[in-house]
Amino acid sequence: MISAERRLRTVVSGLSCDAHLWNLVCLRLLLEDRGHQVTNLGNTTPDAEILGACCTELPDLLVISTVNGHGRLDGLRLIRALRAVPALSGLPVVIGGKLGIEGGNGRDGRDHTELAAQLTAAGYDAVFDDAAEGGPEAGLARFDAFLSSLVPRQATFAGGRSRARAAAGPGAAA
């Protein structure tokens, strides 16, 4: 269990066209197992609902998960809308799962470094593509490392000063 000082308030969501649910349940359980507080918005969540929840909840992290392969397209639309909201412009946001539809099983020979670069250039702090080198297991290790780099927005020192969020960096997923 992590200390209350390191506990992240997270929002987990699927994208508007992704009807898969178990990936979100697994993410919720994984994050809770690591001591974080989770709000799960569910699958087929409209962009406006995700933005509204983030404005209301003011989470430390937004995690977008996709299974249907449309993550790149729908994820780009979502992050552009999110980054246009001043209150959310600094919110760490990650996306992971099956991000493309080519090749059937996701291991399609695409340049996953280029895909991750496209998503991070659009505003994601990290990209965890299931089809990237090392597969989902390696992506989970990168996700854990990313989580440990974040500092909760509400964490304070003993003197009451707000602690700044750790630099998230350009993300990791190739």
Side-chain angles (χ1 to χ4, degrees), residues 84-156:
V85 177
L88 302 177
S89 64
L91 172 65
V93 182
V94 300
I95 188 169
K98 185 176 178 191
L99 301 174
I101 58 172
E102 299 86 4
N105 68 0
R107 304 204 188 287
D108 53 26
R110 288 187 348 246
D111 183 350
H112 298 280
T113 304
E114 183 180 318
L115 175 58
Q118 181 184 20
L119 288 162
T120 54
Y124 284 97
D125 295 279
V127 176
F128 305 99
D129 187 342
D130 282 355
E133 184 177 336
E137 295 78 18
L140 180 58
R142 290 189 297 267
F143 182 62
D144 277 331
F146 180 84
L147 286 174
S148 67
S149 76
L150 297 178
V151 175
R153 194 187 306 227
Q154 301 301 318
T156 58

Side-chain angles (χ1 to χ4, degrees), residues 41-135:
L41 300 180
N43 56 339
T44 62
T45 309
D47 294 357
E49 188 175 327
I50 297 169
L51 296 176
C54 289
C55 286
T56 302
E57 303 264 339
L58 298 174
D60 298 306
L61 175 65
L62 171 61
V63 179
I64 300 298
S65 179
T66 181
V67 175
N68 72 357
H70 294 277
R72 179 179 57 87
L73 298 174
D74 293 340
L76 285 170
R77 184 191 65 242
L78 172 66
I79 197 66
R80 289 175 180 140
L82 188 134
R83 294 300 184 216
V85 177
L88 302 177
S89 64
L91 172 65
V93 182
V94 300
I95 188 169
K98 185 176 178 191
L99 301 174
I101 58 172
E102 299 86 4
N105 68 0
R107 304 204 188 287
D108 53 26
R110 288 187 348 246
D111 183 350
H112 298 280
T113 304
E114 183 180 318
L115 175 58
Q118 181 184 20
L119 288 162
T120 54
Y124 284 97
D125 295 279
V127 176
F128 305 99
D129 187 342
D130 282 355
E133 184 177 336

